[in-house]
Amino acid sequence: MGDIEIDLYGDWVKYLRNELSGFGYSDIPSNNEAVVHTYLNLVRRLIQPIPRKVLKSSEFACPPQYQQGLADVERQISQGRDLKPYLSKKLANSRYNDHFLNDWGIHHLHLGRTLEPDGRFMVRSGPVLCCRFEKAVAYFIQVISHGEWAKQELVAILHRNWPESIKQFRLKNVTGMAVKLTDQDIRCLRRKNVNTVVDIGNGVMYGQIGGGFTASGISVDVVMKADYYKMKFQQMQTDVIDNIADIARAGKAKGVFLPNTPQFRLAMKGNQVFVVEVNCRLEAFLESL
């Protein structure tokens, strides 16, 4: 058998380009790594529409005029509906880095009740709901004024109400800081892409609940996932090349014969990864992402 034409990572990047285009974005980077970062960053900023149990902190309070909007959001979350209309309009910028989310893992949702004229987002509210999402739970932390993204009390509320949910981010063998950072300090340091810690008091300190950000401002979690997926696709490609004889035999048993110079392309079905030979259409399952 001759050379094998295959580039699974490159095919995956093309798939992500199409996904971004399908989402309505036109400012798609030309660099492959930047495409992956952009896509993963966007997915991180969205909230997976699955039913979740809503838990409210003991300190939780919402202004009376936004109670109905809050009830709408709570119902949407409980029913697993799409929350995109309640999120920041900065979703329109696919490359925006949300430091509030990347630092503390907290989303903010607006509490408007009607869609704006373009039908994309709910009418913006002054106060916003701060919420942390896990697979089965939505933690309603507090309603704050829009822009209070460095309010350390939010982390303190998480600690007081659901310490088990963030215990992996609590710093060990650290009892305090020589100089405790103010909210304004954190706000200023974030602008320079500097990660900070939150000193709750009584020897309790937390690192980056949201994973933190790199010197360029992008989420550390995004960079790590991008590297992981690149490695996975490269390994899958190696597996195809190393096992080409077995793939050929499996095809032959079905009456499908690989050409002398196979041309494989990536095929995605949900989170399942396949390769398809473009000439004979032989398909082989690789693994699930």
Side-chain angles (χ1 to χ4, degrees):
M1 186 171 292
D3 293 336
I4 300 171
E5 182 181 304
I6 184 171
D7 180 9
L8 296 186
Y9 179 71
D11 289 347
W12 183 58
V13 173
K14 291 177 185 176
Y15 171 80
L16 297 187
R17 286 183 191 278
N18 290 334
E19 288 287 288
L20 288 169
S21 179
F23 290 154
Y25 294 105
S26 58
D27 59 336
I28 302 173
S30 57
N31 176 272
N32 282 357
E33 183 180 75
V35 171
V36 177
H37 286 173
T38 298
Y39 178 83
L40 294 177
N41 184 49
L42 176 63
V43 169
R44 176 178 173 78
R45 291 159 60 197
L46 297 172
I47 300 166
Q48 188 179 6
I50 56 175
R52 292 178 172 90
K53 180 180 180 180
V54 171
L55 300 178
K56 294 178 181 176
S57 71
S58 59
E59 300 89 342
F60 190 84
C62 179
Q65 64 269 37
Y66 293 104
Q67 289 286 348
Q68 288 299 317
L70 176 68
D72 291 344
V73 171
E74 184 171 351
R75 183 166 53 254
Q76 297 291 318
I77 292 173
S78 298
Q79 296 176 357
R81 302 290 182 85
D82 183 12
L83 297 174
K84 193 182 303 179
Y86 297 93
L87 296 177
S88 170
K89 284 186 177 180
K90 288 188 171 66
L91 279 175
N93 178 359
S94 64
R95 306 192 205 186
Y96 175 72
N97 293 312
D98 186 343
H99 278 9
F100 186 42
L101 176 64
N102 293 339
D103 194 356
W104 293 344
I106 298 174
H107 284 85
H108 76 275
L109 292 84
H110 287 264
L111 300 174
R113 301 203 68 201
T114 57
L115 287 169
E116 293 187 335
D118 64 5
R120 297 180 63 191
F121 294 98
M122 289 292 180
V123 170
R124 306 288 87 178
S125 58
V128 292
L129 169 65
C130 290
C131 191
R132 183 168 182 265
F133 291 89
E134 291 184 347
K135 188 172 183 180
V137 180
Y139 300 100
F140 280 23
I141 304 168
Q142 189 55 286
V143 174
I144 64 171
S145 297
H146 191 276
E148 291 187 306
W149 313 134
K151 192 179 182 71
Q152 295 176 84
E153 174 63 12
L154 297 172
V155 178
I157 291 173
L158 281 171
H159 170 73
R160 289 194 295 267
N161 289 268
W162 309 289
E164 286 297 307
S165 73
I166 56 173
K167 65 180 181 180
Q168 66 268 40
F169 306 106
R170 182 170 172 175
L171 301 181
K172 298 178 180 178
N173 303 317
V174 180
T175 57
M177 300 175 65
V179 178
K180 187 173 181 178
L181 297 176
T182 66
D183 293 352
Q184 181 60 27
D185 290 334
I186 290 178
R187 186 178 295 109
C188 292
L189 289 168
R190 278 184 186 164
R191 292 193 188 114
K192 299 180 183 297
N193 300 326
V194 177
N195 291 290
T196 59
V197 298
V198 176
D199 187 346
I200 301 297
N202 297 318
V204 178
M205 300 183 68
Y206 283 95
Q208 288 69 51
I209 298 172
F213 32 82
T214 67
S216 68
I218 194 169
S219 159
V220 169
D221 181 63
V222 163
V223 174
M224 292 178 66
K225 282 185 176 178
D227 291 345
Y228 168 78
Y229 285 127
K230 184 174 184 179
M231 177 193 70
K232 288 292 290 183
F233 280 107
Q234 289 173 338
Q235 183 58 55
M236 283 187 272
Q237 180 167 313
T238 298
D239 290 343
V240 171
I241 294 171
D242 290 347
N243 294 283
I244 191 65
D246 292 337
I247 294 172
R249 277 193 294 271
K252 185 177 180 180
K254 299 176 182 178
V256 181
F257 299 89
L258 287 179
N260 288 332
T261 305
Q263 297 173 287
F264 286 104
R265 298 292 182 268
L266 175 74
M268 299 289 297
K269 298 179 181 179
N271 68 335
Q272 294 185 320
V273 182
F274 296 79
V275 286
V276 178
E277 205 290 317
V278 299
N279 299 291
C280 69
R281 307 307 299 172
L282 178 64
E283 181 178 274
F285 170 72
L286 296 180
E287 62 177 88
S288 297
L289 291 178

